[in-house]
């Protein structure tokens, strides 16, 4: 366990060092329009700029980071890159705290091993593009807020069982806010609220709590899809599967097997 902890600390330290080594203040790829272009549009129409589409996403949360980076830190990517590391750290901390919450009897030594394993996965340099590119904070954010939303629903159920109305309201609010932030981190985040409804039914939340989740889900979906349009570059999923089924299966398998590719086993390994 101490060896796993040491490996986790080394992974964290080397990733931070690699981010510093790969640092460049020059915008790259989507950063030109997603950061610089967004900032220029925000100067003219802030409300529209913060909630406008980027492909199929609405990157409202990450745009707060991009805006601060340009407005207060000279647009050099420093704040954006640090935010990536902070969000990854928050995700690792959330995984650790949630695991310990459900397994409070874990020994100190086991907790050290758990912390190390989480650090290895959270800060693996396999995610180098996410860490070294300032435009990638949304990837960390959507996982973080989804995890917090699901955990908060569980804690709401626990507060219900313990007849603690103040805690119940606090955890339910945390779940709804986290789910809203997930939706406005990446497009996949819009599925968090419907999943919360299913989870609420599973853990048997009270009807008024379930109703609150349904109301927020409808409100967020309506707001998200106002003026939403399908990006021309996204293609047609059903047509692609129907016309190229083997290529679609190959893509899914390569996507799921990408960690194997990263450890130099190539496409065959993936």
């Amino acid at each position: 366990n101490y060896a796993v902890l040491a490996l986790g600390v080394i992974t964290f330290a080397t990733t931070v060092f690699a981010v510093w080594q790969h640092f460049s203040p020059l915008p790259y790829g989507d950063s030109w329009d997603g950061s610089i272009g967004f900032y220029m549009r925000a100067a003219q129409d802030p409300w529209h700029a913060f909630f406008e589409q980027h492909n199929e996403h609405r990157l409202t949360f990450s745009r707060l980071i991009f805006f601060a980076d340009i407005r207060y830190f000279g647009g050099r990517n420093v704040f954006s890159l640090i935010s990536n590391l902070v969000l990854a750290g928050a995700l690792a901390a959330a995984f650790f705290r949630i695991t310990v919450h459900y397994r409070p009897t874990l020994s100190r030594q086991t907790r050290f091993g758990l912390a190390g394993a989480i650090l290895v996965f959270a800060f693996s340099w396999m995610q180098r593009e996410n860490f070294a590119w300032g435009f990638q904070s949304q990837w960390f954010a959507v996982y973080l807020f989804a995890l917090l939303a699901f955990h908060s629903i569980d804690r709401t159920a626990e507060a219900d069982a313990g007849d603690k109305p103040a805690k119940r309201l606090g955890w339910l609010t945390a779940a709804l806010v986290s789910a809203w932030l997930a939706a406005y981190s990446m497009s996949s985040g819009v599925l968090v609220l419907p999943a919360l409804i299913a989870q609420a039914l599973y853990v048997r939340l009270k009807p008024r709590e379930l109703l609150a989740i349904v109301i927020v889900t409808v409100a967020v979906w309506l707001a998200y899809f106002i003026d939403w349009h399908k990006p021309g570059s996204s293609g047609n999923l059903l047509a692609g599967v129907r016309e190229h089924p083997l290529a679609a299966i190959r893509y899914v398998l390569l996507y799921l097997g990408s960690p194997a590719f990263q450890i130099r086993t190539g496409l065959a390994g993936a």
Side-chain angles (χ1 to χ4, degrees):
N1 286 326
Y2 290 114
V4 176
L5 176 62
L7 181 61
V9 172
I10 291 171
T11 302
F12 168 76
T14 52
T15 293
V16 172
F17 178 74
V19 170
W20 175 64
Q21 286 288 92
H22 286 79
F23 168 75
S24 172
L26 186 68
Y28 168 74
D30 287 347
S31 297
W32 285 104
D33 182 65
S35 297
I36 307 299
F38 149 71
Y39 183 80
M40 296 173 66
R41 293 190 293 274
Q44 303 297 322
D45 187 353
W47 181 264
H48 181 266
F50 272 95
F51 289 92
E52 68 184 358
Q53 274 185 248
H54 176 84
N55 294 325
E56 66 271 24
H57 315 288
R58 296 193 188 273
L59 307 179
T60 306
F61 176 80
S62 287
R63 284 173 178 146
L64 295 171
I65 296 172
F66 306 151
F67 185 89
D69 185 84
I70 297 173
R71 182 69 175 270
Y72 304 111
F73 299 94
R76 290 179 51 80
N77 259 338
V78 173
F79 184 73
S80 293
L81 291 171
I82 291 176
S83 296
N84 291 349
L85 292 168
V86 170
L87 288 169
L91 182 59
F95 268 118
F96 180 80
R97 293 287 297 175
I98 291 170
T99 304
V100 171
H101 172 75
Y102 292 112
R103 293 291 184 270
T105 58
L106 290 177
S107 67
R108 182 180 180 183
Q109 186 179 17
T110 302
R111 293 188 185 197
F112 282 153
L114 173 66
I118 291 173
L119 284 173
V120 168
F121 284 105
F123 287 93
S124 170
W125 192 240
M126 288 182 183
Q127 306 178 75
R128 56 185 175 274
E129 186 172 275
N130 290 340
F131 282 116
W133 188 6
F135 193 70
Q136 298 295 85
S137 55
Q138 57 269 22
W139 292 92
F140 298 108
V142 70
Y143 289 117
L144 172 63
F145 294 130
L147 176 64
L148 293 178
F150 297 137
H151 178 59
S152 295
I153 287 296
D154 268 355
R155 298 301 297 268
T156 302
E158 291 177 9
D160 265 345
D163 195 22
K164 300 175 181 178
K167 285 190 174 182
R168 180 182 65 220
L169 178 60
W171 282 114
L172 180 61
T173 301
L176 296 176
V177 171
S178 296
W180 180 83
L181 288 170
Y184 284 90
S185 294
M186 289 190 75
S187 61
S188 56
V190 300
L191 299 176
V192 172
L193 278 162
L196 286 190
I197 295 174
Q199 185 183 4
L201 290 169
Y202 178 76
V203 299
R204 299 184 180 182
L205 290 188
K206 294 180 178 179
R208 62 175 177 270
E209 295 160 354
L210 179 61
L211 179 61
I213 299 173
V214 171
I215 290 173
V216 172
T217 300
V218 172
V220 169
W221 273 56
L222 287 175
Y224 190 93
F225 288 106
I226 288 177
D227 294 330
W228 190 91
H229 58 275
K230 181 181 177 182
S233 60
S234 63
N236 188 303
L237 175 61
L238 293 179
V241 172
R242 183 175 61 252
E243 297 171 11
H244 307 283
L246 294 180
I249 293 172
R250 182 174 183 270
Y251 172 82
V252 172
L253 292 176
L254 287 174
Y255 184 87
L256 296 175
S258 59
F261 176 84
Q262 299 293 338
I263 56 176
R264 302 185 184 281
T265 61
L267 291 177

